[in-house]
Amino acid sequence: MTAAFREAVIDLDAVTANVRRLREIVGTPHAMVVVKANAYGHGAIECARAALAGGADWLGVAEIAEALQLRASGIEAPVLAWLHDPDEDFVQAVAAGVDVGISSLAQLEAAAAAGTPDAPAFVQLKIETGLSRNGIPASAWEGAVARARELEETGVLVVRGVFSHLSNASPEDDRAAIAVFERGLEQAEAVGLRPELRHIAASAAALSLPESRFDLVRLGLAAYGLSPFGAESAAELGLRPAMTLRGQVAAVRRVPADTGVSYDYTYRTADETTLVLVPLGYAEGIPRHASGRGPVSIAGQRYRIAGRVAMDQFVVDVGDAEVAVGDEVVLFGDPATGVPGADDWADAADTISYEIVTRLGGRLRRSYRGASA
Ligand SMILES: *Cc1c(COP(=O)(O)O)cnc(C)c1O
């Protein structure tokens, strides 16, 4: 397999296997795989198909536009979208059979206006339980569920679900949020709502807090084979990273000791050595903050970036290793194969693996392997 100049290779079989494994662990009746932000940089349509093959029965996205893209590609599985443009009228969502996450009374009324008794709007009401992002505040919840029930009785709207999202601040904070959620569920039932999907857990809680699982878990990061925990690796969870980020060596030069490397000369060679040019830069989403630190693997050897990450490229000091133009450079992939992981890049850039994979773009090509490819 020859590497492309700059490429993210996505192993769709890994996504399928991860989802199957996660379903076994959580044991919930339903599992949603979250494919927002181009499936965290992995390719939304391809990963949606791979996730469904692994037993996901729901897909989750932030924006309705992302849901409509899935529909346009022929994906008919249930989809929930939960973060809306204030001007969104939900007409396209209802026409496309996309469930609408509702975080305000205004959104509830807009969704009802987009539904008809023949084609009702399917909504899932989001209650704010402590993350301080969106969701109907607990103080307004009783009024909101009463209004939702009223609208449901007219036939224009169906409340399919009630959901929230956790902070992962600590198990105690998450349990407190779950208690708020359960009170909200009781209030919804008291006005006659019968939501078939109650959900609050994303990857971290789904894996670590069984009482958060309810009817459905929303799996993002873990489905792509990355661990939401610092202390527990993906391999320990039985998950395999789906993405390998790699490129080809674009140039090789032998230089004397005390040669300055890349902008600002933040790196100078200690001895005569070989410098290798890697054609991925911050335009591709390689964090400039990982300058001097980001790890790569060339022919099974581990190196670090020498000096600054530039827009199009960075340099690696390989010492006396024999490296040629065209050789494969792996930035990250499955650590079980001996290459750095996305977590190593997250450490190098003081961030989380979510950001490392999701920010990739620019001139990077994505290619796919596996049965769903
Ligand atoms: C992104 C997101 C998820 C998925 O989170 P992971 O930690 O990647 O599993 C779940 N639910 C909501 C509301 C989200 O925004």
Side-chain angles (χ1 to χ4, degrees), residues 32-36 40 60-62 80 82-83 126 131 133-134 163-166 168 199-206 217-224 226 228 354:
M32 174 183 291
V33 169
V34 179
V35 295
K36 65 188 179 189
Y40 297 35
V61 292
L80 171 65
W82 54 67
L83 183 59
K126 185 169 188 193
L131 193 56
R133 296 196 328 194
N134 66 3
F163 74 111
S164 189
H165 194 45
L166 294 168
N168 306 323
H199 49 110
I200 194 166
S203 295
V217 293
R218 301 186 304 267
L219 304 166
L221 193 74
Y224 306 109
L226 299 172
Y354 288 85

Side-chain angles (χ1 to χ4, degrees), residues 37-346:
N38 200 25
Y40 297 35
H42 293 66
I45 289 157
E46 293 81 358
C47 289
R49 292 210 175 94
L52 294 167
D57 61 345
W58 275 85
L59 298 170
V61 292
E63 293 196 359
I64 284 166
E66 296 178 295
L68 296 177
Q69 254 172 16
L70 297 173
R71 287 285 181 264
S73 77
I75 292 172
E76 291 172 356
V79 182
L80 171 65
W82 54 67
L83 183 59
H84 311 300
D85 184 324
D87 296 327
E88 178 59 56
D89 63 11
F90 303 118
V91 169
Q92 283 182 296
V94 172
V98 170
D99 277 36
V100 176
I102 298 291
S103 279
S104 68
L105 276 172
Q107 289 175 356
L108 181 66
E109 298 298 341
T116 64
D118 288 336
F122 283 84
V123 302
Q124 304 199 25
L125 305 178
K126 185 169 188 193
I127 178 169
E128 154 64 15
T129 56
L131 193 56
S132 305
R133 296 196 328 194
N134 66 3
I136 297 165
S139 58
W141 181 251
E142 227 175 337
V145 290
R147 178 64 182 146
R149 180 60 190 148
E150 224 172 73
L151 291 165
E152 200 174 56
E153 281 177 322
T154 72
V156 298
L157 175 143
V158 176
V159 177
R160 184 168 358 230
V162 169
F163 74 111
S164 189
H165 194 45
L166 294 168
S167 69
N168 306 323
S170 72
E172 295 68 43
D173 286 302
D174 286 349
R175 286 195 188 99
I178 290 168
V180 176
F181 184 60
E182 286 178 327
R183 217 168 309 129
L185 288 172
E186 283 164 18
Q187 288 170 322
E189 298 222 342
V191 299
L193 294 177
R194 295 290 177 267
E196 116 198 24
L197 299 175
R198 299 160 300 170
H199 49 110
I200 194 166
S203 295
L207 287 165
S208 64
L209 205 63
E211 64 264 46
S212 73
R213 291 174 185 158
F214 293 91
D215 305 307
L216 176 150
V217 293
R218 301 186 304 267
L219 304 166
L221 193 74
Y224 306 109
L226 299 172
S227 171
F229 309 118
E232 210 174 1
S233 72
E236 285 165 331
L237 297 165
L239 304 173
R240 185 152 54 90
M243 182 190 288
T244 300
L245 180 65
R246 63 182 191 171
Q248 277 180 304
V249 171
V252 176
R253 75 183 60 249
R254 191 76 186 162
V255 298
D258 203 33
T259 300
V261 175
S262 192
Y263 294 125
D264 305 329
Y265 289 174
T266 58
Y267 183 86
R268 282 177 188 274
T269 57
D271 297 298
E272 182 182 321
T273 191
T274 298
L275 299 177
V276 154
L277 187 65
V278 180
L280 289 94
Y282 57 77
E284 278 66 50
I286 306 305
R288 185 172 178 278
H289 199 65
S291 292
R293 292 189 283 176
V296 302
S297 174
I298 303 173
Q301 283 295 314
R302 196 71 77 92
Y303 306 99
R304 292 199 173 272
I305 294 174
R308 292 269 194 252
V309 172
M311 188 180 294
D312 317 302
Q313 51 205 293
F314 61 81
V315 174
V316 176
D317 181 344
V318 299
D320 294 327
E322 297 272 334
V323 176
V325 169
D327 283 1
E328 180 185 57
V329 183
V330 177
L331 284 75
F332 63 81
D334 182 353
T337 66
V339 299
D343 288 315
D344 297 312
W345 274 84

